[in-house]
Amino acid sequence: MKLLHLFIFIISLYWLNVGQAVASEQDETVGSCSMALQEKRLIENLDLEQSEEQILIEQATRLQAQGYYAASIKVLRYLVGTKADNLSSEQKILLHSRLGDAYLAIQQLDNAQTEIEISLELAQQTQHPSLLAHVYNNLGNFHGVKKQYDLAQDAYDQAITLAREQQDETLYSQALANKVRAYIKQKAIPQSIETLKTALAHTQTQFNDSTKTFRLLSLGQLGLTIHKSAPESQTLVYGILQQALKLAANADDKRLTAYARGYLGQLYEQSKRYQEAMSLTHQAIFLSQEMPDLQYRWEWQRGRILIAQNDIDGALEAYRRALEYLQPIRSGLSNGQRDVSSVFLERIRPVYFGLSDVLLRKAALTSDETEKQEFLSQAIDTVEKLKVAELQDYFQDECVTAKELTPVEVEKSHLKNTAVFYPVLLPERTELLLSVYEKIYQVSVPVDLETMQQAIVDFQQNLQIKTRRSYLRQSWKLYDWLIRPLESLLNQHEINTLVFIPDGALRMIPLGALHDKKQFLIDKYAIATTPSLDLTTPSPLPRNNLSILLNGLSESVQGFAALPNVPDEISNIRGLFRQSSVLMDEAFSITKVNDSLQEMPFVIIHIASHGQFSPNPKDTFLLTYDDKITMDRLERMLSFSEFRESTVELLTLSACQTAVGDERAALGLAGVAIKAGARSALASLWFVNDSATALLVTEFYKHMQDTSITKAEALRRSQAALAKQRDFRHPVFWAPFLLIGNWL
């Protein structure tokens, strides 16, 4: 029974969810790349067989608390497997629940669902109300991560009812807070306010001062989010934070006092009472010395307040300090958080964009060309740092951007007619940055983020309706906003290639399908896209003795439809290369692909098969005959080894698709070349029927035989050729193909 109580305490502590309100107590966070290496060593050194069950349980809990989820999972799996006969049914329930939680933390949602369902089934069999309540709360968090908010609310309601019946005050409070969070995600503001009031009343009467302070800060942060949409909640939120401040100050707890003062400053900021907001923010900064996870937060807040008061120089100083504090600890902020993407979007991305915003304002205000170029260069450098951070966050791997591709000298003549295009989508305007041959141009467009995003989403959706041309309205609009302001510069510099560094929702659309009411952009420019120029190595493709590994799946397997044109696609491409190897259908297996890559260092890898790029990289895969190639597995396959000492020049993914309407999935597609360790990739934003795909990729490889043109130009000509065919004239067939990474 003592062990059961220990488990219930552990689960309760974990789901307290004060991580968002009171961030990690550690002032320094190990970077995820070095952390991954540490965890690998930990897993290798785990001695499970010599330990008793309770020691293993404590070890798993400690590992999970430190963020070593894979190591914790190994211990927990050993317990529920090898030691199952020694465990009571209650212990099994809690262990499976803990496993589900660990899988949720590393974004393995299928495994998380399996473990949570096992724990729920066992809990329902035992009819132990306290255990059932904890499992339902866990289930609610799972549905919340999946954005299944109605299911999450049902699970939280079950947890709330059972916790109230069992007088489990801690769990009752947790489930109420989680329910508020789900209401906020659903934009159900009145319901979130009422539930917040219920949670507040319970917190005020049921907990000692120490626990109450944490819970009030957690509720206060939820209240701040509500207040953005409901100014009438100001008195409620102020009361919560004032009470938290009083308790924290009485306990002489600097960290909690800093949170309380900082959150109060944020409330005043939201109410545009900037003098009071700045005073409280300065107090929070003073109290947060030696705590970089708090210092970055309050310096960022200080920067926002100064921007609102039009103090550009002060804001620049504040944002620079915020980013200086943030960068060393960034990877640790999402550690253990279930909704990793929200942490990045809400607490990390805005700091980078805030600094870029201030630098762009400075550039626009100065008349000195040297100063202007310096500010613009710093703005681009900040955007590039953000792009790297986004990829690390998406793949949950800080090592993903640390790959070293074989260095290549590039002649400046190869870049002469190329422009690098950075659209920066800011809340109140859009900034267009064009880098042309060592000079940066800035054009500001008065289109706010919400308006731009809505046009992008409408364009993306309408573009995929092949029976209509309704996409043209948004296509013209986006052309006028993004391209027309730059036309004179593009003409002046005789640009023929645009390298597109997309931001946010722009990742979901093909730039080449923008239309100026006379022609598509692809009719004028070769276009490449890359998530980050810093992570791209532009180098001409060595055209002599090209070797290609052709992988194809034409049969219907694992519930996916047949692709009958794949054999012709593979056959036609094979005829273009002297050195080729083919793995078709049953031969296209993980083992045989691995064997082929070990036998010969192919320059081009072509995969004609179903693929899926998901908002969650763990759900991203390429289909083989009997299995799936995950991004991690693809990375291992193509990585340098004793057999492969050169970089894969081109990875072609034929018949793949991203999750429709999801910019995070599109980020995964944009990052595929970097993840795989290839210089460039050819892939599509959505599934295109395999007959059109076969024609386009075959044409692409034909043009690649011409040593006088780049890969980007080869793709442009292939798309133009497909667009001339009557059956494939609509851009739904040719536009989604993207050249990602090295465009030369």
Side-chain angles (χ1 to χ4, degrees):
M1 200 64 186
K2 180 179 179 182
L3 188 58
L4 178 60
H5 288 156
L6 169 66
F7 265 96
I8 290 176
F9 169 73
I10 290 167
I11 296 287
S12 299
L13 181 63
Y14 191 79
W15 283 115
L16 183 58
N17 214 356
V18 296
Q20 290 187 345
V22 186
S24 167
E25 292 292 335
Q26 298 175 343
D27 288 333
E28 294 183 9
T29 308
V30 179
S32 8
C33 191
S34 56
M35 191 170 179
L37 296 175
Q38 289 183 26
E39 182 158 30
K40 183 179 178 183
R41 288 193 289 269
L42 265 174
I43 292 172
E44 290 170 351
N45 295 327
L46 284 175
D47 185 4
L48 303 179
E49 295 182 6
Q50 304 302 316
S51 304
E52 295 295 329
E53 287 82 357
Q54 187 162 346
I55 296 173
L56 288 172
I57 289 166
E58 292 170 357
Q59 186 179 28
T61 303
R62 189 165 56 253
L63 287 168
Q64 204 156 330
Q66 294 171 341
Y68 295 119
Y69 295 100
S72 175
I73 286 168
K74 182 172 182 179
V75 178
L76 291 166
R77 291 234 66 92
Y78 178 80
L79 276 165
V80 299
T82 308
K83 298 289 185 180
D85 292 342
N86 300 339
L87 301 172
S88 68
S89 57
E90 288 86 357
Q91 291 167 4
K92 290 177 184 176
I93 293 166
L94 290 163
L95 283 169
H96 281 292
S97 181
R98 195 71 168 142
L99 259 173
D101 178 44
Y103 280 126
L104 203 56
I106 60 173
Q107 303 296 293
Q108 291 190 17
L109 301 188
D110 288 344
N111 287 335
Q113 183 174 7
T114 298
E115 296 301 331
I116 292 169
E117 286 175 352
I118 291 172
S119 64
L120 180 59
E121 184 179 354
L122 291 172
Q124 288 171 335
Q125 289 172 3
T126 62
Q127 282 301 305
H128 194 300
S130 291
L131 290 176
L132 262 175
H134 282 282
V135 175
Y136 274 122
N137 191 50
N138 197 352
L139 181 63
N141 283 290
F142 168 78
H143 286 309
V145 171
K146 294 276 284 184
K147 296 180 171 54
Q148 299 166 335
Y149 298 118
D150 288 340
L151 293 175
Q153 295 286 16
D154 290 342
Y156 291 141
D157 284 339
Q158 294 266 28
I160 288 167
T161 300
L162 288 166
R164 187 190 297 118
E165 290 173 356
Q166 295 301 304
Q167 297 184 335
D168 188 335
E169 308 301 344
T170 298
L171 181 58
Y172 179 70
S173 177
Q174 292 162 18
L176 279 172
N178 287 335
K179 191 172 173 63
V180 175
R181 191 168 290 108
Y183 274 137
I184 291 172
K185 295 288 186 181
Q186 292 173 292
K187 302 189 186 316
I189 301 303
Q191 295 91 328
S192 67
I193 292 174
E194 288 308 309
T195 310
L196 181 66
K197 289 178 180 177
T198 303
L200 173 62
H202 179 262
T203 298
Q204 288 171 328
T205 58
Q206 296 298 327
F207 300 105
N208 60 36
D209 286 353
S210 177
T211 304
K212 188 183 295 184
T213 309
F214 278 89
R215 291 189 175 280
L216 286 169
L217 286 170
S218 182
L219 295 177
Q221 190 187 42
L222 292 172
L224 285 168
T225 306
I226 293 169
H227 182 255
K228 291 177 184 177
S229 304
E232 67 273 16
S233 65
Q234 180 175 321
T235 302
L236 172 64
V237 180
Y238 179 81
I240 294 171
L241 293 174
Q242 272 294 110
Q243 188 177 355
L245 175 59
K246 182 178 179 180
L247 291 170
N250 288 342
D252 197 25
D253 189 315
K254 278 190 177 181
R255 186 176 182 84
L256 298 187
T257 305
Y259 265 109
R261 291 194 182 280
Y263 283 163
L264 278 167
Q266 186 177 339
L267 181 63
Y268 280 114
E269 176 200 353
Q270 291 177 2
S271 303
K272 298 185 177 0
R273 294 171 60 175
Y274 297 123
Q275 186 174 349
E276 296 101 317
M278 186 63 82
S279 175
L280 285 159
T281 301
H282 282 156
Q283 293 171 41
I285 291 171
F286 178 77
L287 290 164
S288 300
Q289 295 175 68
E290 310 301 324
M291 304 176 199
D293 60 311
L294 295 191
Q295 285 176 301
Y296 106 83
R297 183 190 288 264
W298 311 134
E299 287 289 357
W300 168 29
Q301 185 163 296
R302 179 172 173 264
R304 296 195 308 267
I305 295 167
L306 290 167
I307 277 283
Q309 296 177 298
N310 206 32
D311 184 348
I312 308 300
D313 290 331
L316 179 58
E317 181 185 340
Y319 268 106
R320 279 178 169 158
R321 277 201 297 267
L323 201 57
E324 182 182 338
Y325 291 129
L326 172 62
Q327 285 186 291
I329 65 164
R330 175 182 53 77
S331 60
L333 293 180
S334 59
N335 195 29
Q337 299 293 331
R338 299 303 163 266
D339 193 352
V340 174
S341 61
S342 290
V343 174
F344 189 87
L345 289 173
E346 295 168 9
R347 295 173 55 190
I348 296 173
R349 193 174 190 270
V351 183
Y352 287 90
F353 260 104
L355 178 56
S356 298
D357 181 8
V358 178
L359 288 165
L360 291 169
R361 289 172 189 249
K362 289 286 291 181
L365 289 171
T366 184
S367 57
D368 184 283
E369 186 59 31
T370 302
E371 279 190 7
K372 183 186 291 288
Q373 287 297 306
E374 179 60 28
F375 285 129
L376 291 175
S377 178
Q378 289 177 24
I380 284 181
D381 182 60
T382 305
V383 170
E384 282 288 337
K385 285 185 172 69
L386 169 63
K387 303 300 182 185
V388 171
E390 281 183 311
L391 282 176
Q392 292 171 341
D393 175 75
Y394 175 79
F395 289 111
Q396 284 297 286
D397 178 7
E398 204 163 90
C399 309
V400 73
T401 55
K403 296 181 177 67
E404 293 186 7
L405 301 181
T406 309
V408 176
E409 288 292 327
V410 182
E411 295 181 17
K412 286 192 174 182
S413 59
H414 287 302
L415 307 176
K416 184 179 179 183
N417 302 109
T418 299
V420 181
F421 176 34
Y422 292 87
V424 183
L425 309 185
L426 296 168
E428 297 174 353
R429 71 191 192 285
T430 299
E431 294 275 2
L432 309 179
L433 303 180
L434 196 71
S435 178
V436 182
Y437 211 56
E438 300 181 346
K439 183 169 183 179
I440 305 168
Y441 296 92
Q442 174 190 19
V443 178
S444 185
V445 179
V447 180
D448 63 79
L449 178 61
E450 187 176 346
T451 303
M452 179 70 75
Q453 283 184 324
Q454 189 58 57
I456 291 168
V457 170
D458 291 343
F459 175 57
Q460 192 250 18
Q461 291 174 347
N462 288 330
L463 192 59
Q464 294 179 72
I465 304 172
K466 63 187 73 173
T467 57
R468 297 209 303 265
R469 291 164 59 86
S470 53
Y471 67 88
L472 278 171
R473 186 182 299 274
Q474 293 87 35
S475 181
W476 297 333
K477 187 183 295 183
L478 289 169
Y479 187 97
D480 287 343
W481 291 344
L482 298 172
I483 304 300
R484 201 173 299 283
L486 303 174
E487 279 184 330
S488 61
L489 290 170
L490 295 170
N491 293 332
Q492 174 189 332
H493 291 279
E494 300 180 344
I495 298 301
N496 57 32
T497 302
L498 274 178
V499 180
F500 182 40
I501 318 289
D503 175 44
L506 282 170
R507 296 189 184 98
M508 303 189 305
I509 62 170
L511 198 67
L514 299 189
H515 201 279
D516 67 356
K517 296 189 178 180
K518 294 180 182 178
Q519 59 186 338
F520 289 105
L521 194 65
I522 202 69
D523 294 320
K524 296 193 283 186
Y525 305 103
I527 299 170
T529 184
T530 179
S532 164
L533 197 63
D534 283 352
L535 299 176
T536 303
T537 306
S539 61
L541 179 70
R543 308 295 173 98
N544 297 325
N545 298 319
L546 288 177
S547 57
I548 185 168
L549 176 61
L550 293 157
N551 308 276
L553 186 61
S554 65
E555 299 178 18
S556 174
V557 297
Q558 302 181 54
F560 286 82
L563 296 169
N565 286 286
V566 164
D568 287 342
E569 174 184 335
I570 297 296
S571 176
N572 291 336
I573 296 170
R574 186 179 191 180
L576 299 171
F577 293 88
R578 291 181 181 178
Q579 298 182 61
S580 63
S581 183
V582 174
L583 299 175
M584 176 63 70
D585 289 330
E586 193 169 354
F588 179 33
S589 66
I590 299 287
T591 301
K592 291 186 177 179
V593 173
N594 257 325
D595 290 345
S596 296
L597 291 171
Q598 296 294 325
E599 290 168 6
M600 184 175 181
F602 292 97
V603 176
I604 301 172
I605 311 294
H606 182 100
I607 300 176
S609 174
H610 288 289
Q612 173 179 294
F613 284 83
S614 165
N616 183 347
K618 304 298 181 184
D619 296 331
T620 293
F621 64 86
L622 307 170
L623 194 70
T624 65
Y625 187 83
D626 60 347
D627 205 342
K628 293 182 176 73
I629 302 176
T630 64
M631 288 300 97
D632 287 341
R633 185 175 270 175
L634 183 66
E635 179 183 25
R636 291 193 297 271
M637 284 178 165
L638 303 189
S639 61
F640 290 168
S641 67
E642 59 181 306
F643 302 100
R644 169 172 290 283
E645 297 179 354
S646 59
T647 304
V648 172
E649 292 290 338
L650 175 64
L651 172 66
T652 299
L653 304 178
S654 171
C656 293
Q657 65 178 338
T658 62
V660 174
D662 193 289
E663 62 182 80
R664 190 166 169 82
L667 173 62
L669 180 71
V672 64
I674 292 165
K675 177 67 172 173
R679 283 199 202 280
S680 56
L682 176 65
S684 59
L685 277 168
W686 54 77
F687 177 74
V688 180
N689 77 63
D690 63 325
S691 58
T693 298
L695 287 169
L696 185 137
V697 296
T698 302
E699 192 76 14
F700 172 71
Y701 285 123
K702 283 180 183 177
H703 286 298
M704 274 181 52
Q705 310 299 311
D706 184 347
T707 58
S708 68
I709 66 172
T710 64
K711 291 197 291 290
E713 176 61 18
L715 177 59
R716 190 197 72 78
R717 294 183 184 185
S718 304
Q719 290 175 307
L722 191 65
K724 288 177 182 176
Q725 298 201 22
R726 181 178 178 182
D727 291 341
F728 305 125
R729 191 173 300 160
H730 194 288
V732 69
F733 295 105
W734 53 262
F737 292 92
L738 305 179
L739 182 67
I740 302 162
N742 172 31
W743 62 92
L744 294 180

